[in-house]
Amino acid sequence: MITANRTDIGLGRHVNEDQSWIGQLDNGVTLAIVADGMGGHQAGDVASRMAVDAFRSMLEQSAAKADLSLQEGKMLIRQAISQANEAVYELASRNELYHNMGTTIVAALVKQDNAIIGHVGDSRAYKIAEGVITQLTDDHTLVNELFKSGQLSAEEAAHHPRRNVITRAVGTDAHVDVDVLSVDWSPRDVLLLCSDGLSNMVTEQQMLETVASETLEPEAKADHLIQLALDAGGDDNITVVLLQEEAAGTDREV
């Protein structure tokens, strides 16, 4: 697996409250997570960092078994995000500085012929395959609920002043519902995980054109996506993670 992990504070923030991580286990499993924190007094930075640490700590151990099944993978990614929720909520409950802090999470567990995605909030996962980009996650936002119920058009939703109001987050309640799905995975597919600092500023067509480029390495693709978000205003922190199996016929070591 070849990967890229890039983040930028953006042009409108003083602190980068995004956190991300990629890990590759000896059994061939690749793990990735993006978390976009929220809360005053830099509590968003604390929430996202704690969530990533809790997720990583559990899955580096639990997902390392040799014969991990699809159902086990789904269960583990749900448990890891739930564990992250407990860690953030517990600190927020006992420390006034961190009251009501929380974070989004979008995470992936990729193994052989499938990719398992878990998410809470409005950080997104996209799959790019055969010249097509598909949004895999469904934003947990007020505006998305209004769009799905027919009260807003897609254009109105994209520019709504409250489009960043999320309806579900990690750490704000004792328990959280985690959306988990799996998709088929083949060697030439690319998985893109991002915070809304990218998806609010860069169109799917721009994402597709960048990721599908045959002249850029994954790190350069991630850097270019961040630059596109900055060029569009860069209102928020921007984080991009790319996962891609090695293309056929190459000898690159990972």
Side-chain angles (χ1 to χ4, degrees), residues 23-234:
Q24 301 191 52
L25 307 183
D26 291 340
N27 62 350
V29 167
T30 298
L31 304 166
I33 181 172
V34 170
D36 179 358
M38 59 187 191
H41 305 289
Q42 299 185 16
D45 174 49
V46 174
S48 59
R49 186 172 64 249
M50 286 189 70
V52 169
D53 288 348
F55 176 90
R56 175 179 181 174
S57 176
M58 178 181 168
L59 284 189
E60 278 188 322
Q61 300 176 41
S62 303
K65 60 180 294 187
D67 55 347
L68 188 71
S69 70
L70 177 61
Q71 285 308 117
E72 287 174 322
K74 287 182 174 181
M75 177 189 69
L76 286 176
I77 205 164
R78 189 185 303 277
Q79 288 179 343
I81 296 175
S82 295
Q83 189 162 303
N85 184 79
E86 292 172 11
V88 175
Y89 180 76
E90 193 272 335
L91 179 60
S93 299
R94 62 181 169 82
N95 189 320
E96 186 62 31
L97 275 180
Y98 302 138
H99 182 62
N100 281 339
M101 74 173 176
T103 183
T104 70
I105 281 181
V106 61
L109 187 160
V110 182
K111 182 178 185 292
Q112 295 176 338
D113 58 356
N114 59 70
I116 302 167
I117 310 298
H119 93 286
V120 177
D122 62 354
S123 293
R124 292 181 178 177
Y126 295 89
K127 178 183 173 181
I128 295 92
E130 299 181 346
V132 176
I133 183 169
T134 305
Q135 182 179 331
L136 302 177
T137 51
D138 189 30
D139 294 348
H140 300 139
T141 61
L142 174 64
V143 165
N144 192 40
E145 292 298 324
L146 294 173
F147 167 68
K148 289 191 295 184
S149 67
Q151 298 179 61
L152 290 177
S153 68
E155 179 70 14
E156 288 170 334
H159 299 95
H160 197 281
R162 301 190 68 195
R163 67 181 183 276
N164 293 328
V165 176
I166 60 177
T167 55
R168 199 189 306 179
V170 167
T172 54
D173 294 288
H175 303 283
V176 67
D177 291 330
V178 182
D179 287 1
V180 178
L181 66 133
S182 63
V183 294
D184 292 338
W185 182 255
S186 65
R188 294 187 180 276
D189 295 347
V190 181
L191 193 64
L192 164 62
L193 308 183
C194 66
S195 60
D196 66 341
L198 183 79
S199 55
N200 281 344
M201 294 289 169
V202 177
T203 67
E204 288 190 3
Q205 184 61 32
Q206 289 174 306
M207 294 181 198
L208 176 61
E209 290 173 357
T210 301
V211 173
S213 168
E214 296 183 357
T215 61
L216 296 177
E217 294 294 320
E219 295 89 347
K221 292 176 182 180
D223 288 337
H224 184 63
L225 287 170
I226 285 179
Q227 190 59 52
L228 287 172
L230 292 171
D231 291 345

